[in-house]
Amino acid sequence: MKILGLSAFYHDSAAALIIDGEIIAAAQEERFTRKKFDSGFPSQSIQFCLEKAGLQLSDLDEIVYYEKPFLSFERLLQSIIATAPRSLLTFLSAMPIWMREKLDTRGTLKKKFQKQFPGVVLPAITFSQHHLSHAASAFYPSPFESAAILCLDGVGEWACTTAWVGHGNKIESLWEMHFPHSLGMLYSAFTYFCGFKVNSGEYKLMGLAPYGKPIFAQKIKDNLLDIKEDGSFRLNMDYFSFASSLKMTNQKFADLFGVEVRQPESAMTQIYKDLAASIQQVTEEIMVRLARTIRRDSGQENLCLSGGVALNCVANGIIARENIFKNIWIQPAAGDAGSALGAALASYYLQHEKTREVQKPDSMKAAFLGPIFSNDEIRNFLIEVGAHFEELSHDNLLQLATKDLMDQKVVGWFQGSMEYGPRSLGARSILGDPRDPQMQSRMNLKIKYRESFRPFAPIVLAEKVSNVYQDNFDNPYMLLVTHVKETHAKSLPAVTHVDGSARIQAVSQNENPLLHDLLKSFEAATGCPVLVNTSFNVRGEPIVCSPKDALRCFIQTEMDSLFLGSFYLKKENQKFSRDDRRWRVRYELD
């Protein structure tokens, strides 16, 4: 059975293909269009999935959309009516697109497919529910026969937080919390207030938090929300505008903290750092309480997490350290992009009642589910554009990469299949020496062109995690934060945040043999089993997908060298001009 799952028309569109329950391919549309968080119809992602499997559209048994648009429209309409006349602008901006495309999503999808695949008879188009798609993406690929499932995001149709129990091929609902009482919306309100973009800047707020003190945490709990012992809560909507306008907060919110909304790109003063620290602490408290509640209600010893809030790796790390559950597994594409996969899996197991076989360590294939380019394809491209390169053996590649890293060079690393989800996990990465105290600032300002406070994550040999870090998190998806041991705190300045924390990725031989070999080579030469790993892109640009994207990013930044498959490029040997229109990076300040 061949099922294509889709996420589209909101943010971070994606497509995912499963065949007889096996995850074959998955990718976000932004990687192909180079438009960050692209919300359009994922035509190129769909084409990629079909081509990877060698299928035609007519070979599919079903296409599943990740939510039920009519229920989302019902929520939007009720919110507009309840907050009228303040919601007039929301009504005027939202209704045209709903009338034109979203209300009849099935009809819109048919038109899009027919335009891309003229004359093809379409398979059935069905619909999942938003949070069920999240839950399915979290449970079915997990290594657990049974588990509790917690999904937290901004909003689906009505649900914002949901609890489930998964067993075998079944997922059953325990309880849910409804809009507008949303942890994701609360965190996004502070994201907006601190001058970052909603639905894309939340991770910046998390990175900013350690620079502040949670001095406003009690004020948040006294005024903005009422938190119960079980983690459920209600927002005081007197301070928020997201249910009635195009803004997240209002003047009463600003007056509460004695400061106005920070303008993007303006100075980051201490009060915004303290606000970030405060909402982060409140978020952690709520998530821990919810985890304890679902543990009690489900009786399960395993936990699966998904939804955009599940990308809050600091809170995830706290839940893990609290030992509320014996094991935790988090969907690496926890946001709406991952719901494309969840929608397909939900249909396969729940609607078609197929048998589920649990796989270890999971069935996500280390999230390497995107496009891959052969050495022949890369070689032909480099020759065509006139690049200067060397072709290397495996051993020579490791030797040269290790030498460049030891020489404090910034290294582009483009290998294998592209990652699915928001993290670069060693396929589309920029690497550096974590021992260099200047590496963090250099990468931020000269490579990534982003804010100086943003931390970088360490990749570490899976077998050496406990040697360097306080928690032995064997997590390959960079979704748990721990703290560096005192013995290593000063020796890893480039990947240790201001509070001593680190969002680690454990790299194993089985899941990423080439990157594991590089870490082993670097450790043999330096005694350090850790490298800096950041996503292969500049600020405001999606992670690179193709060799052309990688070369463009390499040319436009102060990256020193590039390992493109088996090929080695040194910046000093290239004759490309940054001003050449072919190599301009398309990005917007995010």
Side-chain angles (χ1 to χ4, degrees):
M1 177 168 279
K2 309 168 191 72
I3 302 177
L4 182 73
L6 298 181
S7 164
F9 308 137
Y10 290 90
H11 60 90
D12 214 5
S13 294
L17 177 69
I18 65 171
I19 299 178
D20 292 336
E22 180 185 358
I23 304 169
I24 302 300
Q28 291 130 283
E29 188 69 5
E30 65 165 19
R31 308 294 172 83
F32 303 97
T33 63
R34 312 310 300 154
K35 179 182 177 182
K36 197 163 188 181
F37 301 113
D38 193 339
S39 61
F41 179 69
S43 58
Q44 294 187 66
S45 299
I46 292 166
Q47 189 66 44
F48 154 70
C49 288
L50 293 174
E51 288 179 357
K52 185 173 180 181
L55 299 176
Q56 301 296 319
L57 185 69
S58 57
D59 295 325
L60 297 177
D61 295 287
E62 187 179 13
I63 297 168
V64 190
Y65 189 70
Y66 78 122
E67 68 173 18
K68 296 192 173 181
F70 193 79
L71 293 179
S72 297
F73 181 71
E74 177 189 63
R75 183 250 307 160
L76 176 65
L77 202 58
Q78 287 192 25
S79 298
I80 287 172
I81 293 170
T83 56
R86 288 176 290 130
S87 54
L88 178 61
L89 286 178
T90 299
F91 176 82
L92 292 175
S93 65
M95 284 306 110
I97 192 169
W98 269 99
M99 294 297 104
R100 188 171 63 250
E101 291 184 355
K102 292 185 178 180
L103 197 54
D104 182 20
T105 299
R106 178 179 275 109
T108 299
L109 288 172
K110 285 182 177 180
K111 289 177 183 177
K112 298 288 188 182
F113 274 110
Q114 287 165 354
K115 182 178 180 180
Q116 185 175 352
F117 304 95
V120 174
V121 177
L122 291 177
I125 297 176
T126 62
F127 295 81
S128 179
Q129 289 187 3
H130 188 104
H131 268 247
L132 177 60
S133 296
H134 277 314
S137 78
F139 175 62
Y140 290 126
S142 79
F144 310 134
E145 174 64 28
S146 61
I149 311 163
L150 182 60
C151 302
L152 310 103
D153 66 0
V155 61
E157 294 89 358
W158 277 103
C160 305
T161 301
T162 54
W164 316 72
V165 174
H167 182 78
N169 68 344
K170 299 296 184 185
I171 292 177
E172 297 177 355
S173 174
L174 286 177
W175 44 261
E176 58 187 46
M177 295 166 56
H178 284 181
F179 183 85
H181 308 294
S182 162
L183 184 57
M185 287 294 194
L186 174 65
Y187 203 85
S188 291
F190 279 85
T191 299
Y192 160 83
F193 195 79
C194 290
F196 306 124
K197 280 189 178 180
V198 173
N199 291 331
S200 66
E202 284 78 5
Y203 63 97
K204 296 184 183 182
L205 195 72
M206 184 175 63
L208 181 64
Y211 290 93
K213 296 181 179 179
I215 59 176
F216 297 111
Q218 194 59 48
K219 182 173 282 191
I220 291 171
K221 291 189 284 187
D222 288 344
N223 294 275
L224 299 188
L225 74 165
D226 177 23
I227 310 173
K228 302 303 182 184
E229 189 62 33
D230 62 2
S232 63
F233 62 89
R234 293 185 65 83
L235 296 183
N236 182 349
M237 295 305 294
D238 291 344
Y239 292 89
F240 301 95
S241 300
F242 60 77
S244 61
S245 78
L246 303 178
K247 296 181 179 180
M248 296 297 295
T249 62
N250 56 28
Q251 189 58 46
K252 189 172 182 179
F253 186 102
D255 292 342
L256 179 66
F257 299 109
V259 65
E260 295 300 313
V261 177
R262 173 180 167 265
Q263 295 303 307
E265 309 307 313
S266 65
M268 181 61 72
T269 55
Q270 187 60 43
I271 190 168
Y272 297 106
K273 299 175 185 178
D274 294 338
L275 285 168
S278 301
I279 190 57
Q280 178 63 32
Q281 185 182 90
V282 171
T283 299
E284 292 163 7
E285 179 181 337
I286 291 171
M287 288 181 68
V288 168
R289 289 189 186 190
L290 288 171
R292 293 190 186 282
T293 299
I294 194 173
R295 175 72 173 88
R296 181 198 67 205
D297 292 351
S298 70
Q300 298 293 317
E301 62 178 16
N302 302 313
L303 175 66
C304 297
L305 287 168
S306 192
V309 180
L311 294 171
N312 194 310
C313 49
V314 179
N316 295 343
I318 293 172
I319 292 172
R321 279 193 297 278
E322 290 283 323
N323 292 317
I324 302 168
F325 289 87
K326 184 177 179 181
N327 303 294
I328 295 178
W329 192 87
I330 307 160
Q331 167 55 242
D336 280 2
S339 295
L341 174 61
L345 291 169
S347 178
Y348 184 76
Y349 289 112
L350 296 176
Q351 299 304 315
H352 299 285
E353 300 183 333
K354 299 296 184 179
T355 302
R356 173 173 175 250
E357 294 183 8
V358 176
Q359 297 182 28
K360 304 287 185 179
D362 59 45
S363 60
M364 281 297 295
K365 300 181 179 178
F368 299 131
L369 297 166
I372 186 171
F373 297 85
S374 69
N375 277 330
D376 286 343
E377 289 175 300
I378 296 172
R379 183 191 301 106
N380 291 339
F381 164 72
L382 292 175
I383 292 171
E384 179 185 347
V385 299
H388 184 281
F389 62 91
E390 298 176 53
E391 186 166 1
L392 307 174
S393 67
H394 176 271
D395 290 346
N396 286 340
L397 185 146
L398 296 177
Q399 184 180 2
L400 270 175
T402 300
K403 182 180 184 304
D404 279 0
L405 291 164
M406 290 174 62
D407 290 341
Q408 278 74 57
K409 292 183 178 180
V410 178
V411 173
W413 189 254
F414 183 102
Q415 305 291 337
S417 297
M418 183 180 69
E419 303 92 338
Y420 180 47
R423 312 285 190 227
S424 282
L425 302 172
R428 305 290 187 272
S429 291
I430 299 174
L431 307 177
D433 187 342
R435 305 167 303 159
D436 181 1
Q438 304 302 317
M439 186 59 68
Q440 191 257 3
S441 60
R442 183 185 170 205
M443 287 179 115
N444 265 333
L445 301 177
K446 295 188 176 183
I447 309 296
K448 302 286 285 186
Y449 303 135
R450 68 185 197 179
E451 301 90 346
S452 60
F453 66 81
R454 302 270 295 278
F456 288 106
I459 49 174
V460 56
L461 288 168
E463 59 269 28
K464 296 296 178 70
V465 170
S466 59
N467 292 8
V468 182
Y469 295 99
Q470 292 180 11
D471 301 289
N472 190 21
F473 291 152
D474 186 16
N475 186 280
Y477 300 124
M478 208 185 292
L479 287 171
L480 294 166
V481 163
T482 182
H483 285 75
V484 67
K485 288 185 174 180
E486 276 190 38
T487 51
H488 290 79
K490 293 182 179 179
S491 63
L492 298 170
V495 289
T496 302
H497 208 7
V498 64
D499 60 349
S501 65
R503 186 184 69 197
I504 65 170
Q505 177 194 350
V507 179
S508 71
Q509 179 68 42
N510 289 335
E511 293 177 330
N512 195 335
L514 182 60
L515 188 61
H516 188 272
D517 287 349
L518 178 60
L519 282 163
K520 290 285 287 183
S521 175
F522 188 75
E523 181 192 34
T526 66
C528 177
V530 178
L531 286 173
V532 182
N533 174 32
T534 189
S535 56
F536 200 147
N537 64 323
V538 297
R539 178 188 177 193
E541 181 204 21
I543 295 169
V544 302
C545 175
S546 69
K548 183 176 181 179
D549 301 331
L551 186 60
R552 181 188 290 122
C553 188
F554 177 62
I555 292 167
Q556 289 292 336
T557 65
E558 296 185 39
M559 217 178 303
D560 297 297
S561 59
L562 172 61
F563 291 84
L564 200 57
S566 295
F567 304 96
Y568 177 56
L569 289 80
K570 295 176 69 173
K571 177 64 68 65
E572 61 201 54
N573 293 338
Q574 308 307 317
K575 298 179 180 179
F576 300 111
S577 169
R578 289 188 180 185
D579 297 326
D580 188 328
R581 294 184 64 180
R582 291 182 304 168
W583 308 114
R584 290 180 186 171
V585 174
R586 176 183 173 179
Y587 69 95
E588 301 172 0
L589 291 179
D590 65 341

